[in-house]
Amino acid sequence: MKSFTIADINAVINGVILGNTSNEITAPEQLEKATKHNISFIGNRKYAKLWPLSKASVAVIDEKIELQPGDNRALIKVKCADLAMAQILEFFNPGNPILEEEIHPSAVVHATAILGKNVQIGANVYIGKNVSIGDGTVIYPNVTVMDDSIIGMACVIWSGTVIRERTQIGHQCIFHTNVSIGADGFGFRPSPDGRGLVKIPQIGNVVIGNGVEIGANSCVDRGKFSSTIIGDGTKIDNLVQIGHNSVLGRSCIMAGHSGLAGSVTLGDGVIIGGSASIKDHTTLHSGVTVGAGSGVMGDVQAGKTVLGYPACDSRDMLKQWVALRKLGKGA
């Protein structure tokens, strides 16, 4: 186990050190669980009260928070403790598992597939006809990439992921375990005889930009025609559903259990909270925030924050909740 001094750590985040400690630091940890060999983080004043009770030797704190380090303990003040925490976690990161062979003997790679330099392919991977994979991409065991798909450079595809035919993926993307890309969109109509449902063919594809990260067990469905599109830098949590022909702009965020129905359009920088759902053929313009658990039934103007079911302006919804609480107490 590697250990570092407070000076080693501060060289990474370039903060201001208050106090000092002789204890070496081996890992970051929560304040409540930390030992003397841990570094922790205080980004909000409400957590400052935990510092005297914690056993951590070092804490990175927001520069606006006033605290005393204590005996053989130190604080590192920074402009943003959350961003410093990201740097420190990267510093302590042990790295991803290493595939011992460039292409595992059990992998099936079609003769027409084109692999870039330093591509790594794990056990039981299937790479289909005319697939192209860019330099430095790592594909972990039990991944399927179907025909005519394109994967860019320096991507990481974790085990269990299935990438259906004709998918296009940019550079430096991360797909976590069991992601589904390009499954059929959900399209059915009643049959003429009224005795069943007719499946509508889904013949489009999925196009994913650069720097996209998709969490475990999330699904991005193929377009009915044309493409479902995920913009550059978008980050998608676990258990998220993106319906067919939806278009997401740049740097959108979707939290766990949220979902887009078919043909939803998100502008740049849209944030969708956990378990929120967006109705089909709806547009959320750039900078919109949707509160957790909300149901959006219509278009939302740029920069708005909406909340509730059906979702409306967050301030109006909070007023409604206050009024309902008062009515309940009155009853």
Side-chain angles (χ1 to χ4, degrees):
M1 181 181 294
K2 292 183 178 180
S3 62
F4 302 94
T5 67
I6 188 173
D8 295 331
I9 294 170
N10 194 46
V12 176
I13 60 176
N14 195 29
V16 176
I17 298 174
L18 302 179
N20 200 7
T21 180
S22 59
N23 294 321
E24 297 259 311
I25 305 302
T26 59
E29 186 52 272
Q30 299 176 41
L31 281 166
E32 303 95 315
K33 297 179 179 181
T35 71
K36 67 179 183 178
H37 294 297
N38 291 140
I39 182 171
S40 197
F41 308 91
I42 305 173
N44 190 301
R45 285 187 176 88
K46 67 181 180 180
Y47 300 116
K49 62 185 178 183
L50 299 176
W51 174 243
L53 305 174
S54 176
K55 295 179 181 178
S57 291
V58 183
V60 175
I61 69 170
D62 192 283
E63 63 183 5
K64 297 177 182 178
I65 298 173
E66 293 299 327
L67 270 179
Q68 294 301 315
D71 294 336
N72 199 25
R73 306 177 85 193
L75 301 170
I76 306 176
K77 285 201 166 189
V78 294
K79 287 186 177 180
C80 179
D82 287 342
L83 292 178
M85 176 175 63
Q87 291 176 287
I88 290 173
L89 289 171
E90 184 64 36
F91 182 62
F92 280 95
N93 186 357
N96 293 340
I98 296 173
L99 298 178
E100 294 182 354
E101 298 167 284
E102 191 171 85
I103 301 177
H104 193 276
S106 65
V108 177
V109 181
H110 196 277
T112 60
I114 300 172
L115 307 183
K117 298 176 182 178
N118 302 316
V119 169
Q120 293 181 282
I121 297 176
N124 301 313
V125 169
Y126 174 80
I127 306 294
K129 184 172 62 176
N130 298 323
V131 168
S132 175
I133 301 175
D135 298 350
T137 286
V138 178
I139 299 179
Y140 282 97
N142 301 310
V143 169
T144 297
V145 184
M146 301 301 288
D147 300 356
D148 302 304
S149 293
I150 299 171
I151 300 174
M153 297 185 293
C155 294
V156 178
I157 315 294
W158 287 96
S159 297
T161 293
V162 176
I163 298 170
R164 287 279 301 272
E165 62 274 16
R166 302 188 304 281
T167 296
Q168 298 177 27
I169 298 166
H171 307 305
Q172 298 177 323
C173 293
I174 301 172
F175 296 167
H176 292 277
T177 49
N178 300 318
V179 165
S180 171
I181 304 294
D184 284 3
F186 190 69
F188 299 90
R189 289 293 180 271
S191 61
D193 60 9
R195 301 178 65 179
L197 296 172
V198 176
K199 180 176 175 62
I200 298 173
Q202 309 287 305
I203 64 171
N205 72 336
V206 175
V207 176
I208 295 175
N210 301 320
V212 172
E213 185 163 349
I214 300 180
N217 297 296
S218 289
C219 303
V220 182
D221 290 346
R222 70 194 309 117
K224 178 166 51 180
F225 28 69
S226 65
S227 304
T228 302
I229 299 173
I230 312 295
D232 292 350
T234 287
K235 311 299 181 186
I236 296 169
D237 198 357
N238 301 337
L239 297 165
V240 171
Q241 162 65 19
I242 296 177
H244 61 175
N245 290 104
S246 289
V247 176
L248 283 68
R250 293 174 296 135
S251 301
C252 295
I253 295 173
M254 292 186 65
H257 286 273
S258 61
L260 308 181
S263 299
V264 171
T265 300
L266 306 184
D268 296 339
V270 172
I271 299 173
I272 298 178
S275 299
S277 56
I278 316 299
K279 180 183 175 294
D280 60 301
H281 296 275
T282 297
T283 298
L284 278 59
H285 293 278
S286 294
V288 164
T289 298
V290 179
S294 299
V296 178
M297 309 301 289
D299 295 354
V300 182
Q301 296 176 3
K304 286 275 190 179
T305 298
V306 295
L307 184 62
Y309 195 99
C312 66
D313 183 277
S314 59
R315 292 167 296 186
D316 293 338
M317 182 56 67
L318 290 171
K319 289 176 183 177
Q320 290 179 35
W321 288 346
V322 169
L324 287 171
R325 185 177 298 175
K326 289 180 179 178
L327 285 172
K329 290 180 178 179

